[in-house]
Amino acid sequence: MLTDDQIGYLMKIGDSNPPLPEQTVKIMLTALKWSPEEIKHGVNFLNRPHLYVKPTPVSVPSPLEQTNSPKIINPVVFLKPIVIKQNPFPIGSPLFKKSLMGQKSQPHRKHLIAWGTALGVTGFFVGYLVYDKFAK
């Protein structure tokens, strides 16, 4: 039996125009290291008559007959462009001013790092002096 990949490959060979001769197909499949049994099945697959079926015409009902049929939604409706605002709160906006008012109501120290460093150094020297006094 032929695998799906092999059938797909044979379909591509069968679609070639003009059709390839049987000997050429055998050489191509031998080069792909197909077994002799697979080559035989492949050649038989290519030699089978193709059934081309004409599409049957579809009758489209008039708009008056479609009253009971479901409505088809136009896909273009869903493809509206999206408007992206880069700055929803410009600097003069009252919404921006209200958001800043909440920050100003809390006390804010600017130099917390400097104060922490000074307090840490002072505490280190006080600790060193206390250690020096009691260590003797």
Side-chain angles (χ1 to χ4, degrees):
M1 282 316 273
L2 298 173
T3 63
D4 291 337
D5 294 334
Q6 291 173 332
I7 291 173
Y9 183 72
L10 290 172
M11 294 291 281
K12 289 178 186 175
I13 292 174
D15 289 341
S16 64
N17 193 7
L20 297 174
E22 184 176 328
Q23 189 62 27
T24 305
V25 172
K26 286 182 180 180
I27 292 171
M28 290 171 63
L29 299 179
T30 305
L32 292 173
K33 298 184 180 178
W34 285 23
S35 69
E37 184 180 317
E38 290 173 334
I39 293 173
K40 181 180 166 188
H41 286 296
V43 170
N44 289 339
F45 179 80
L46 290 175
N47 288 335
R48 69 186 169 105
H50 295 288
L51 300 176
Y52 292 107
V53 179
K54 290 183 180 179
T56 58
V58 178
S59 64
V60 179
S62 68
L64 297 176
E65 295 173 3
Q66 292 181 353
T67 55
N68 294 334
S69 65
K71 300 278 184 180
I72 298 175
I73 298 173
N74 189 359
V76 178
V77 174
F78 298 109
L79 300 176
K80 291 182 180 178
I82 300 172
V83 178
I84 299 174
K85 294 181 179 178
Q86 293 297 323
N87 189 3
F89 303 112
I91 292 183
S93 170
L95 297 174
F96 185 70
K97 289 179 182 177
K98 288 180 183 176
S99 67
L100 288 178
M101 289 173 64
Q103 292 179 357
K104 290 181 181 178
S105 64
Q106 299 173 356
H108 183 68
R109 297 181 187 245
K110 294 182 180 180
H111 304 289
L112 290 177
I113 295 175
W115 280 102
T117 304
L119 187 62
V121 170
T122 305
F124 176 76
F125 282 120
V126 170
Y128 180 72
L129 292 176
V130 170
Y131 172 77
D132 187 41
K133 182 176 182 180
F134 291 112
K136 292 183 181 180

